[in-house]
Amino acid sequence: MSLMGSLIQFNTIVLLLSLFQSIQAEEFKSSQPCEFQAIFNFGDSNSDTGCMSAAFHPAVLPYGETFFHDGAGRASDGRLIIDFIAKHLRLPFLSAYINSIGTSYRHGANFAAGSSTIMRQNKTFFDGGSPFTLEIQIAQFIQFKARTAKFFTQAENKTSFRRHLAENQSYFRRHFPKPEDFANAIYMLDIGQNDLGDVISKVGKEDSQALISNIVEYFAKQVQKLYSFGARKFWIHNTGPIGCLPVFMPIHNAINSQTQVAGYLDQNGCVNHPNNLAREFNKKLKDVVVKLREQFHDASFTYVDMFSAKYELISNANKSGFVNPSGICCGYHEDGYHVYCGNKAMINGKEIVASSCEDPSKYISWDGVHYTEAANQWIANRILNGSFSDPSLPIAHSCQITH
């Protein structure tokens, strides 16, 4: 066959494969939605809705000022991506598992905790760590599921004290998921950013590639454990462009020789090296998700490219109605001095009060590390329809198994 003939044949195959994938995606989109009965979420501060506030010091204003008008346990001025996901699925906001006041777990629970990691930590909360690693979060879920099932079983088996029985059943059904709801739940994971922070701190001391491989392998073990306890529908976020977090950008830090080196920053002012590590983590994470699909044929695994969704926002900040992506709404970050949102400090004899900006909806970054509600909503709108997912299915259809 001639070279031209081979090229035509190759292009025809590519076209047919693309057409098949498009038809397949449309078939899934036109199918019945999943009708998730609950959400069980595992992660760090990107999706913590009150764990660390309940366990340690509560978040206070100006955190939560935009939507909740109170701290609300979230590292933002308002709602997080997990809140918009719950709303999209017509489910209530998730209560933090560890929060005992005014909570309901009828439609799931949130085990995410700020500063959490996939790997075990060697530091305390007072050193910037968290006791609630992914391993602990999943242990909490296992306990939650077992105790919930026990409540329902006890209520059904009792034959005396019928009035008391009816009251118990009513309470359980109002506040806890039914045993069968666990199989019809979506299991979401958004964690790994803090692990990468640890990798960055060890650059030059340990092999970054080996560290990242260990992290994603440990992640896979935790997902396998969730599967062994009945989880079947997984929605897995990769990590975002941490080099684009404003507190890491030279504009908010003291100038040094390293930041002046060509190639240190990309076209958006983001620091290249941490972003490259994030890309490597995401590549390995995606490989792990593919292997999990091959291992568990009765489960669905959706890999969500949060890096690309967030980077698209950062690259098109002005077009999307936001100020420069290096802008920080709440906090003082100048000349290497960092006073985080809601705090006070004396700098050069002057008291600095790190208050919030006039209009958080114009900013991507809330406090230099976390996103504003407006940015979270922008990102949520992009990922919910499947545009950044593999397979490219809307979240409402992500229970479809595509092996």
Side-chain angles (χ1 to χ4, degrees):
M1 183 181 293
S2 67
L3 177 61
M4 182 62 70
S6 298
L7 286 172
I8 292 172
Q9 186 180 43
F10 175 77
N11 289 334
T12 302
I13 293 171
V14 170
L15 181 62
L16 288 172
L17 283 172
S18 177
L19 181 62
F20 173 75
Q21 290 172 344
S22 298
I23 293 171
Q24 187 182 48
E26 288 303 317
E27 286 177 352
F28 282 123
K29 289 177 183 178
S30 63
S31 64
Q32 290 296 315
C34 302
E35 296 184 0
F36 296 115
Q37 297 301 308
I39 300 171
F40 295 104
N41 183 68
F42 308 85
D44 51 32
S45 58
N46 289 318
S47 59
D48 181 353
T49 57
C51 175
M52 294 300 273
S53 282
F56 298 103
H57 302 297
V60 296
L61 291 170
Y63 284 90
E65 65 178 20
T66 296
F67 184 81
F68 300 100
H69 310 295
D70 196 7
R74 292 159 170 80
S76 180
D77 62 307
R79 290 166 289 182
L80 307 178
I81 291 172
I82 183 67
D83 294 313
F84 290 108
I85 290 175
K87 180 182 177 182
H88 182 80
L89 295 176
R90 299 181 180 179
L91 296 173
F93 293 154
L94 286 184
S95 294
Y97 168 73
I98 204 169
N99 190 6
S100 60
I101 306 298
T103 52
S104 173
Y105 304 106
R106 175 63 190 86
H107 294 286
N110 192 0
F111 301 90
S115 301
S116 292
T117 51
I118 295 167
M119 304 297 286
R120 295 176 181 178
Q121 299 184 11
N122 291 317
K123 55 185 178 181
T124 70
F125 165 77
F126 302 101
D127 303 315
S130 165
F132 305 109
T133 62
L134 180 59
E135 183 178 11
I136 297 301
Q137 292 178 30
I138 291 174
Q140 290 175 331
F141 164 78
I142 293 168
Q143 181 182 160
F144 175 80
K145 183 180 181 184
R147 294 181 68 186
T148 300
K150 186 177 180 180
F151 288 150
F152 279 90
T153 302
Q154 286 177 340
E156 290 171 359
N157 289 343
K158 286 182 180 179
T159 56
S160 59
F161 304 108
R162 293 189 179 279
R163 183 177 176 181
H164 179 66
L165 167 60
E167 290 175 354
N168 277 347
Q169 285 182 322
S170 176
Y171 177 81
F172 295 145
R173 293 185 186 282
R174 285 200 314 271
H175 295 285
F176 294 94
K178 293 179 287 186
E180 59 267 28
D181 290 342
F182 286 87
N184 294 318
I186 183 170
Y187 292 78
M188 304 180 61
L189 297 102
D190 186 338
I191 193 166
Q193 181 172 303
N194 296 315
D195 292 273
L196 278 180
D198 185 59
V199 172
I200 292 168
S201 71
K202 295 176 179 176
V203 168
K205 303 173 185 176
E206 297 186 41
D207 183 354
S208 297
Q209 296 298 316
L211 289 172
I212 291 172
S213 294
N214 290 339
I215 293 167
V216 296
E217 286 171 12
Y218 204 68
F219 176 86
K221 289 180 180 178
Q222 302 312 311
V223 173
Q224 289 167 347
K225 186 177 292 184
L226 272 177
Y227 176 90
S228 71
F229 281 88
R232 290 295 182 272
K233 303 167 182 69
F234 295 91
W235 179 268
I236 299 171
H237 292 181
N238 70 13
T239 199
I242 57 177
C244 296
L245 298 178
V247 291
F248 293 147
M249 294 180 175
I251 191 173
H252 297 295
N253 292 280
I255 296 174
N256 59 55
S257 58
Q258 183 183 16
T259 62
Q260 303 300 305
V261 174
Y264 182 78
L265 302 176
D266 68 9
Q267 68 273 17
N268 291 312
C270 302
V271 184
N272 272 317
H273 182 63
N275 274 355
N276 288 337
L277 287 176
R279 290 186 180 97
E280 185 60 29
F281 172 87
N282 292 339
K283 179 180 178 296
K284 292 180 184 293
L285 180 66
K286 189 172 184 179
D287 291 342
V288 158
V289 172
V290 170
K291 290 178 182 177
L292 287 168
R293 286 184 192 140
E294 294 171 351
Q295 184 177 359
F296 302 116
H297 294 280
D298 61 338
S300 63
F301 293 89
T302 303
Y303 172 87
V304 185
D305 189 0
M306 297 298 288
F307 186 106
S308 294
K310 291 179 176 180
Y311 197 78
E312 181 175 302
L313 171 59
I314 291 163
S315 301
N316 297 283
N318 297 141
K319 291 180 182 178
S320 301
F322 294 92
V323 300
N324 190 289
S326 65
I328 300 173
C329 176
C330 187
Y332 177 91
H333 303 276
E334 296 181 15
D335 301 322
Y337 293 103
H338 297 283
V339 185
Y340 284 89
C341 183
N343 292 308
K344 298 178 182 180
M346 295 296 296
I347 297 178
N348 297 325
K350 180 181 179 182
E351 183 181 56
I352 300 296
V353 179
S355 57
S356 61
C357 61
E358 184 176 339
D359 187 359
S361 70
K362 298 297 182 183
Y363 286 76
I364 291 175
S365 181
W366 165 242
D367 59 7
V369 177
H370 306 98
Y371 289 69
T372 60
E373 174 179 282
N376 285 327
Q377 184 171 20
W378 192 98
I379 296 162
N381 288 341
R382 269 59 182 186
I383 65 170
L384 288 169
N385 64 8
S387 297
F388 291 89
S389 299
D390 176 25
S392 58
L393 301 174
I395 189 169
H397 296 262
S398 61
C399 61
Q400 306 293 337
I401 297 174
T402 59
H403 306 307

PDB file of all heavy atoms in Angstrom, residues 118-119 195-196 199-200 207-219 274 276-285 288:
ATOM      1  N   ILE A 118      -3.110  12.180  51.622  1.00  0.00           N
ATOM      2  CA  ILE A 118      -3.283  10.759  51.321  1.00  0.00           C
ATOM      3  C   ILE A 118      -2.375   9.937  52.226  1.00  0.00           C
ATOM      4  O   ILE A 118      -2.794   8.941  52.811  1.00  0.00           O
ATOM      5  CB  ILE A 118      -2.962  10.488  49.840  1.00  0.00           C
ATOM      6  CG1 ILE A 118      -3.974  11.198  48.931  1.00  0.00           C
ATOM      7  CG2 ILE A 118      -2.949   8.983  49.553  1.00  0.00           C
ATOM      8  CD1 ILE A 118      -3.577  11.243  47.466  1.00  0.00           C
ATOM      9  N   MET A 119      -1.144  10.383  52.353  1.00  0.00           N
ATOM     10  CA  MET A 119      -0.159   9.665  53.162  1.00  0.00           C
ATOM     11  C   MET A 119      -0.303  10.024  54.639  1.00  0.00           C
ATOM     12  O   MET A 119      -0.855  11.067  54.991  1.00  0.00           O
ATOM     13  CB  MET A 119       1.266  10.002  52.696  1.00  0.00           C
ATOM     14  CG  MET A 119       1.512   9.729  51.223  1.00  0.00           C
ATOM     15  SD  MET A 119       1.347   7.984  50.766  1.00  0.00           S
ATOM     16  CE  MET A 119       2.857   7.308  51.467  1.00  0.00           C
ATOM     17  N   ASP A 195      -0.221  16.623  49.882  1.00  0.00           N
ATOM     18  CA  ASP A 195       0.864  15.656  49.669  1.00  0.00           C
ATOM     19  C   ASP A 195       1.921  16.245  48.744  1.00  0.00           C
ATOM     20  O   ASP A 195       3.126  16.063  48.955  1.00  0.00           O
ATOM     21  CB  ASP A 195       0.310  14.363  49.057  1.00  0.00           C
ATOM     22  CG  ASP A 195      -0.579  13.600  50.017  1.00  0.00           C
ATOM     23  OD1 ASP A 195      -0.065  12.797  50.806  1.00  0.00           O
ATOM     24  OD2 ASP A 195      -1.800  13.833  49.980  1.00  0.00           O
ATOM     25  N   LEU A 196       1.459  16.948  47.723  1.00  0.00           N
ATOM     26  CA  LEU A 196       2.404  17.570  46.795  1.00  0.00           C
ATOM     27  C   LEU A 196       3.199  18.671  47.477  1.00  0.00           C
ATOM     28  O   LEU A 196       4.373  18.896  47.152  1.00  0.00           O
ATOM     29  CB  LEU A 196       1.654  18.136  45.583  1.00  0.00           C
ATOM     30  CG  LEU A 196       1.309  17.120  44.493  1.00  0.00           C
ATOM     31  CD1 LEU A 196       0.580  17.797  43.352  1.00  0.00           C
ATOM     32  CD2 LEU A 196       2.560  16.429  43.963  1.00  0.00           C
ATOM     33  N   VAL A 199       5.983  16.950  48.920  1.00  0.00           N
ATOM     34  CA  VAL A 199       6.956  16.585  47.888  1.00  0.00           C
ATOM     35  C   VAL A 199       7.831  17.788  47.541  1.00  0.00           C
ATOM     36  O   VAL A 199       9.062  17.672  47.421  1.00  0.00           O
ATOM     37  CB  VAL A 199       6.240  16.060  46.623  1.00  0.00           C
ATOM     38  CG1 VAL A 199       7.235  15.868  45.474  1.00  0.00           C
ATOM     39  CG2 VAL A 199       5.525  14.746  46.918  1.00  0.00           C
ATOM     40  N   ILE A 200       7.207  18.953  47.389  1.00  0.00           N
ATOM     41  CA  ILE A 200       7.946  20.172  47.047  1.00  0.00           C
ATOM     42  C   ILE A 200       8.976  20.502  48.127  1.00  0.00           C
ATOM     43  O   ILE A 200      10.104  20.916  47.828  1.00  0.00           O
ATOM     44  CB  ILE A 200       6.964  21.345  46.849  1.00  0.00           C
ATOM     45  CG1 ILE A 200       6.122  21.107  45.590  1.00  0.00           C
ATOM     46  CG2 ILE A 200       7.708  22.677  46.735  1.00  0.00           C
ATOM     47  CD1 ILE A 200       4.942  22.040  45.455  1.00  0.00           C
ATOM     48  N   ASP A 207      13.728  11.685  45.888  1.00  0.00           N
ATOM     49  CA  ASP A 207      13.291  11.541  44.510  1.00  0.00           C
ATOM     50  C   ASP A 207      11.800  11.875  44.402  1.00  0.00           C
ATOM     51  O   ASP A 207      10.945  11.139  44.916  1.00  0.00           O
ATOM     52  CB  ASP A 207      13.543  10.108  44.041  1.00  0.00           C
ATOM     53  CG  ASP A 207      13.178   9.883  42.586  1.00  0.00           C
ATOM     54  OD1 ASP A 207      12.617  10.802  41.957  1.00  0.00           O
ATOM     55  OD2 ASP A 207      13.429   8.779  42.075  1.00  0.00           O
ATOM     56  N   SER A 208      11.477  12.973  43.741  1.00  0.00           N
ATOM     57  CA  SER A 208      10.087  13.425  43.623  1.00  0.00           C
ATOM     58  C   SER A 208       9.216  12.398  42.917  1.00  0.00           C
ATOM     59  O   SER A 208       8.063  12.169  43.316  1.00  0.00           O
ATOM     60  CB  SER A 208      10.028  14.765  42.875  1.00  0.00           C
ATOM     61  OG  SER A 208      10.695  15.771  43.586  1.00  0.00           O
ATOM     62  N   GLN A 209       9.746  11.767  41.874  1.00  0.00           N
ATOM     63  CA  GLN A 209       8.967  10.786  41.119  1.00  0.00           C
ATOM     64  C   GLN A 209       8.600   9.586  41.988  1.00  0.00           C
ATOM     65  O   GLN A 209       7.469   9.096  41.944  1.00  0.00           O
ATOM     66  CB  GLN A 209       9.759  10.321  39.896  1.00  0.00           C
ATOM     67  CG  GLN A 209      10.035  11.415  38.873  1.00  0.00           C
ATOM     68  CD  GLN A 209       8.763  11.980  38.281  1.00  0.00           C
ATOM     69  OE1 GLN A 209       7.853  11.236  37.937  1.00  0.00           O
ATOM     70  NE2 GLN A 209       8.683  13.299  38.166  1.00  0.00           N
ATOM     71  N   ALA A 210       9.540   9.132  42.790  1.00  0.00           N
ATOM     72  CA  ALA A 210       9.277   8.001  43.672  1.00  0.00           C
ATOM     73  C   ALA A 210       8.262   8.368  44.745  1.00  0.00           C
ATOM     74  O   ALA A 210       7.370   7.573  45.067  1.00  0.00           O
ATOM     75  CB  ALA A 210      10.580   7.536  44.326  1.00  0.00           C
ATOM     76  N   LEU A 211       8.372   9.579  45.273  1.00  0.00           N
ATOM     77  CA  LEU A 211       7.419  10.036  46.285  1.00  0.00           C
ATOM     78  C   LEU A 211       6.007  10.090  45.719  1.00  0.00           C
ATOM     79  O   LEU A 211       5.048   9.645  46.361  1.00  0.00           O
ATOM     80  CB  LEU A 211       7.821  11.417  46.809  1.00  0.00           C
ATOM     81  CG  LEU A 211       9.073  11.479  47.687  1.00  0.00           C
ATOM     82  CD1 LEU A 211       9.448  12.936  47.966  1.00  0.00           C
ATOM     83  CD2 LEU A 211       8.856  10.739  48.999  1.00  0.00           C
ATOM     84  N   ILE A 212       5.869  10.633  44.503  1.00  0.00           N
ATOM     85  CA  ILE A 212       4.553  10.741  43.869  1.00  0.00           C
ATOM     86  C   ILE A 212       3.979   9.355  43.589  1.00  0.00           C
ATOM     87  O   ILE A 212       2.785   9.109  43.799  1.00  0.00           O
ATOM     88  CB  ILE A 212       4.647  11.588  42.581  1.00  0.00           C
ATOM     89  CG1 ILE A 212       4.934  13.051  42.934  1.00  0.00           C
ATOM     90  CG2 ILE A 212       3.361  11.477  41.762  1.00  0.00           C
ATOM     91  CD1 ILE A 212       5.222  13.933  41.743  1.00  0.00           C
ATOM     92  N   SER A 213       4.825   8.437  43.126  1.00  0.00           N
ATOM     93  CA  SER A 213       4.362   7.070  42.867  1.00  0.00           C
ATOM     94  C   SER A 213       3.834   6.425  44.144  1.00  0.00           C
ATOM     95  O   SER A 213       2.792   5.748  44.138  1.00  0.00           O
ATOM     96  CB  SER A 213       5.499   6.226  42.288  1.00  0.00           C
ATOM     97  OG  SER A 213       5.874   6.690  41.009  1.00  0.00           O
ATOM     98  N   ASN A 214       4.537   6.640  45.249  1.00  0.00           N
ATOM     99  CA  ASN A 214       4.092   6.089  46.534  1.00  0.00           C
ATOM    100  C   ASN A 214       2.737   6.671  46.949  1.00  0.00           C
ATOM    101  O   ASN A 214       1.876   5.954  47.475  1.00  0.00           O
ATOM    102  CB  ASN A 214       5.130   6.373  47.622  1.00  0.00           C
ATOM    103  CG  ASN A 214       6.407   5.576  47.446  1.00  0.00           C
ATOM    104  OD1 ASN A 214       6.414   4.543  46.776  1.00  0.00           O
ATOM    105  ND2 ASN A 214       7.489   6.048  48.040  1.00  0.00           N
ATOM    106  N   ILE A 215       2.553   7.950  46.688  1.00  0.00           N
ATOM    107  CA  ILE A 215       1.304   8.617  47.069  1.00  0.00           C
ATOM    108  C   ILE A 215       0.122   8.031  46.307  1.00  0.00           C
ATOM    109  O   ILE A 215      -0.905   7.679  46.895  1.00  0.00           O
ATOM    110  CB  ILE A 215       1.402  10.140  46.817  1.00  0.00           C
ATOM    111  CG1 ILE A 215       2.432  10.768  47.767  1.00  0.00           C
ATOM    112  CG2 ILE A 215       0.038  10.813  47.009  1.00  0.00           C
ATOM    113  CD1 ILE A 215       2.823  12.185  47.375  1.00  0.00           C
ATOM    114  N   VAL A 216       0.246   7.906  44.994  1.00  0.00           N
ATOM    115  CA  VAL A 216      -0.887   7.421  44.199  1.00  0.00           C
ATOM    116  C   VAL A 216      -1.143   5.928  44.448  1.00  0.00           C
ATOM    117  O   VAL A 216      -2.293   5.479  44.389  1.00  0.00           O
ATOM    118  CB  VAL A 216      -0.696   7.706  42.689  1.00  0.00           C
ATOM    119  CG1 VAL A 216      -0.658   9.207  42.425  1.00  0.00           C
ATOM    120  CG2 VAL A 216       0.544   7.040  42.136  1.00  0.00           C
ATOM    121  N   GLU A 217      -0.095   5.186  44.745  1.00  0.00           N
ATOM    122  CA  GLU A 217      -0.292   3.774  45.081  1.00  0.00           C
ATOM    123  C   GLU A 217      -1.055   3.632  46.402  1.00  0.00           C
ATOM    124  O   GLU A 217      -1.923   2.767  46.544  1.00  0.00           O
ATOM    125  CB  GLU A 217       1.066   3.061  45.165  1.00  0.00           C
ATOM    126  CG  GLU A 217       1.704   2.816  43.798  1.00  0.00           C
ATOM    127  CD  GLU A 217       3.138   2.323  43.906  1.00  0.00           C
ATOM    128  OE1 GLU A 217       3.555   1.963  45.041  1.00  0.00           O
ATOM    129  OE2 GLU A 217       3.846   2.304  42.877  1.00  0.00           O
ATOM    130  N   TYR A 218      -0.740   4.486  47.353  1.00  0.00           N
ATOM    131  CA  TYR A 218      -1.444   4.454  48.626  1.00  0.00           C
ATOM    132  C   TYR A 218      -2.893   4.910  48.446  1.00  0.00           C
ATOM    133  O   TYR A 218      -3.801   4.386  49.094  1.00  0.00           O
ATOM    134  CB  TYR A 218      -0.729   5.342  49.641  1.00  0.00           C
ATOM    135  CG  TYR A 218      -1.003   4.959  51.080  1.00  0.00           C
ATOM    136  CD1 TYR A 218      -0.507   3.763  51.588  1.00  0.00           C
ATOM    137  CD2 TYR A 218      -1.743   5.772  51.920  1.00  0.00           C
ATOM    138  CE1 TYR A 218      -0.749   3.393  52.905  1.00  0.00           C
ATOM    139  CE2 TYR A 218      -1.999   5.410  53.232  1.00  0.00           C
ATOM    140  CZ  TYR A 218      -1.496   4.221  53.714  1.00  0.00           C
ATOM    141  OH  TYR A 218      -1.749   3.849  55.023  1.00  0.00           O
ATOM    142  N   PHE A 219      -3.089   5.859  47.550  1.00  0.00           N
ATOM    143  CA  PHE A 219      -4.444   6.302  47.211  1.00  0.00           C
ATOM    144  C   PHE A 219      -5.254   5.131  46.667  1.00  0.00           C
ATOM    145  O   PHE A 219      -6.407   4.919  47.064  1.00  0.00           O
ATOM    146  CB  PHE A 219      -4.371   7.428  46.171  1.00  0.00           C
ATOM    147  CG  PHE A 219      -5.714   7.893  45.672  1.00  0.00           C
ATOM    148  CD1 PHE A 219      -6.429   8.865  46.354  1.00  0.00           C
ATOM    149  CD2 PHE A 219      -6.258   7.364  44.513  1.00  0.00           C
ATOM    150  CE1 PHE A 219      -7.673   9.303  45.890  1.00  0.00           C
ATOM    151  CE2 PHE A 219      -7.490   7.783  44.041  1.00  0.00           C
ATOM    152  CZ  PHE A 219      -8.199   8.760  44.738  1.00  0.00           C
ATOM    153  N   PRO A 274       6.141  23.588  40.663  1.00  0.00           N
ATOM    154  CA  PRO A 274       5.052  22.881  41.364  1.00  0.00           C
ATOM    155  C   PRO A 274       3.933  22.445  40.426  1.00  0.00           C
ATOM    156  O   PRO A 274       3.322  21.391  40.630  1.00  0.00           O
ATOM    157  CB  PRO A 274       4.562  23.899  42.404  1.00  0.00           C
ATOM    158  CG  PRO A 274       5.117  25.212  41.981  1.00  0.00           C
ATOM    159  CD  PRO A 274       6.356  24.933  41.227  1.00  0.00           C
ATOM    160  N   ASN A 276       4.376  21.491  37.349  1.00  0.00           N
ATOM    161  CA  ASN A 276       4.870  20.289  36.661  1.00  0.00           C
ATOM    162  C   ASN A 276       4.766  19.059  37.566  1.00  0.00           C
ATOM    163  O   ASN A 276       4.453  17.955  37.101  1.00  0.00           O
ATOM    164  CB  ASN A 276       6.310  20.504  36.216  1.00  0.00           C
ATOM    165  CG  ASN A 276       6.418  21.478  35.047  1.00  0.00           C
ATOM    166  OD1 ASN A 276       5.456  21.673  34.305  1.00  0.00           O
ATOM    167  ND2 ASN A 276       7.573  22.103  34.893  1.00  0.00           N
ATOM    168  N   LEU A 277       5.011  19.240  38.859  1.00  0.00           N
ATOM    169  CA  LEU A 277       4.846  18.126  39.800  1.00  0.00           C
ATOM    170  C   LEU A 277       3.376  17.720  39.887  1.00  0.00           C
ATOM    171  O   LEU A 277       3.055  16.531  39.975  1.00  0.00           O
ATOM    172  CB  LEU A 277       5.371  18.519  41.186  1.00  0.00           C
ATOM    173  CG  LEU A 277       6.888  18.618  41.338  1.00  0.00           C
ATOM    174  CD1 LEU A 277       7.251  19.106  42.737  1.00  0.00           C
ATOM    175  CD2 LEU A 277       7.566  17.271  41.059  1.00  0.00           C
ATOM    176  N   ALA A 278       2.486  18.720  39.854  1.00  0.00           N
ATOM    177  CA  ALA A 278       1.053  18.426  39.877  1.00  0.00           C
ATOM    178  C   ALA A 278       0.647  17.646  38.626  1.00  0.00           C
ATOM    179  O   ALA A 278      -0.145  16.694  38.708  1.00  0.00           O
ATOM    180  CB  ALA A 278       0.246  19.717  39.976  1.00  0.00           C
ATOM    181  N   ARG A 279       1.196  18.027  37.488  1.00  0.00           N
ATOM    182  CA  ARG A 279       0.898  17.305  36.239  1.00  0.00           C
ATOM    183  C   ARG A 279       1.379  15.858  36.327  1.00  0.00           C
ATOM    184  O   ARG A 279       0.704  14.934  35.855  1.00  0.00           O
ATOM    185  CB  ARG A 279       1.549  18.018  35.052  1.00  0.00           C
ATOM    186  CG  ARG A 279       0.914  19.363  34.698  1.00  0.00           C
ATOM    187  CD  ARG A 279       1.523  19.929  33.429  1.00  0.00           C
ATOM    188  NE  ARG A 279       0.941  21.222  33.072  1.00  0.00           N
ATOM    189  CZ  ARG A 279       1.485  22.415  33.385  1.00  0.00           C
ATOM    190  NH1 ARG A 279       2.652  22.447  34.047  1.00  0.00           N
ATOM    191  NH2 ARG A 279       0.889  23.535  33.036  1.00  0.00           N
ATOM    192  N   GLU A 280       2.550  15.655  36.907  1.00  0.00           N
ATOM    193  CA  GLU A 280       3.083  14.301  37.046  1.00  0.00           C
ATOM    194  C   GLU A 280       2.213  13.479  37.992  1.00  0.00           C
ATOM    195  O   GLU A 280       1.923  12.311  37.729  1.00  0.00           O
ATOM    196  CB  GLU A 280       4.521  14.352  37.559  1.00  0.00           C
ATOM    197  CG  GLU A 280       5.203  13.001  37.631  1.00  0.00           C
ATOM    198  CD  GLU A 280       5.303  12.308  36.276  1.00  0.00           C
ATOM    199  OE1 GLU A 280       5.371  13.009  35.245  1.00  0.00           O
ATOM    200  OE2 GLU A 280       5.320  11.060  36.255  1.00  0.00           O
ATOM    201  N   PHE A 281       1.792  14.092  39.091  1.00  0.00           N
ATOM    202  CA  PHE A 281       0.875  13.426  40.021  1.00  0.00           C
ATOM    203  C   PHE A 281      -0.408  13.041  39.302  1.00  0.00           C
ATOM    204  O   PHE A 281      -0.908  11.907  39.447  1.00  0.00           O
ATOM    205  CB  PHE A 281       0.572  14.366  41.192  1.00  0.00           C
ATOM    206  CG  PHE A 281      -0.513  13.873  42.119  1.00  0.00           C
ATOM    207  CD1 PHE A 281      -0.209  13.030  43.180  1.00  0.00           C
ATOM    208  CD2 PHE A 281      -1.837  14.245  41.931  1.00  0.00           C
ATOM    209  CE1 PHE A 281      -1.210  12.572  44.028  1.00  0.00           C
ATOM    210  CE2 PHE A 281      -2.840  13.799  42.772  1.00  0.00           C
ATOM    211  CZ  PHE A 281      -2.534  12.952  43.826  1.00  0.00           C
ATOM    212  N   ASN A 282      -0.947  13.961  38.530  1.00  0.00           N
ATOM    213  CA  ASN A 282      -2.212  13.708  37.832  1.00  0.00           C
ATOM    214  C   ASN A 282      -2.082  12.606  36.794  1.00  0.00           C
ATOM    215  O   ASN A 282      -3.004  11.799  36.601  1.00  0.00           O
ATOM    216  CB  ASN A 282      -2.724  14.996  37.182  1.00  0.00           C
ATOM    217  CG  ASN A 282      -3.158  16.023  38.207  1.00  0.00           C
ATOM    218  OD1 ASN A 282      -3.458  15.694  39.353  1.00  0.00           O
ATOM    219  ND2 ASN A 282      -3.196  17.289  37.809  1.00  0.00           N
ATOM    220  N   LYS A 283      -0.941  12.570  36.114  1.00  0.00           N
ATOM    221  CA  LYS A 283      -0.702  11.505  35.128  1.00  0.00           C
ATOM    222  C   LYS A 283      -0.713  10.133  35.817  1.00  0.00           C
ATOM    223  O   LYS A 283      -1.353   9.185  35.339  1.00  0.00           O
ATOM    224  CB  LYS A 283       0.624  11.741  34.415  1.00  0.00           C
ATOM    225  CG  LYS A 283       0.991  10.674  33.391  1.00  0.00           C
ATOM    226  CD  LYS A 283       2.321  10.997  32.737  1.00  0.00           C
ATOM    227  CE  LYS A 283       2.716   9.916  31.744  1.00  0.00           C
ATOM    228  NZ  LYS A 283       2.947   8.606  32.408  1.00  0.00           N
ATOM    229  N   LYS A 284       0.001  10.043  36.925  1.00  0.00           N
ATOM    230  CA  LYS A 284       0.060   8.778  37.657  1.00  0.00           C
ATOM    231  C   LYS A 284      -1.294   8.434  38.269  1.00  0.00           C
ATOM    232  O   LYS A 284      -1.690   7.259  38.320  1.00  0.00           O
ATOM    233  CB  LYS A 284       1.132   8.854  38.740  1.00  0.00           C
ATOM    234  CG  LYS A 284       2.565   8.928  38.205  1.00  0.00           C
ATOM    235  CD  LYS A 284       3.574   9.009  39.330  1.00  0.00           C
ATOM    236  CE  LYS A 284       5.003   9.182  38.815  1.00  0.00           C
ATOM    237  NZ  LYS A 284       5.490   8.004  38.081  1.00  0.00           N
ATOM    238  N   LEU A 285      -2.018   9.455  38.721  1.00  0.00           N
ATOM    239  CA  LEU A 285      -3.352   9.224  39.290  1.00  0.00           C
ATOM    240  C   LEU A 285      -4.298   8.672  38.228  1.00  0.00           C
ATOM    241  O   LEU A 285      -5.070   7.736  38.487  1.00  0.00           O
ATOM    242  CB  LEU A 285      -3.906  10.526  39.873  1.00  0.00           C
ATOM    243  CG  LEU A 285      -5.306  10.431  40.499  1.00  0.00           C
ATOM    244  CD1 LEU A 285      -5.286   9.557  41.743  1.00  0.00           C
ATOM    245  CD2 LEU A 285      -5.825  11.834  40.837  1.00  0.00           C
ATOM    246  N   VAL A 288      -3.684   5.091  37.624  1.00  0.00           N
ATOM    247  CA  VAL A 288      -4.236   4.289  38.713  1.00  0.00           C
ATOM    248  C   VAL A 288      -5.737   4.095  38.524  1.00  0.00           C
ATOM    249  O   VAL A 288      -6.267   2.994  38.733  1.00  0.00           O
ATOM    250  CB  VAL A 288      -3.938   4.958  40.075  1.00  0.00           C
ATOM    251  CG1 VAL A 288      -4.913   4.483  41.154  1.00  0.00           C
ATOM    252  CG2 VAL A 288      -2.511   4.663  40.508  1.00  0.00           C
TER     253      VAL A 288
END
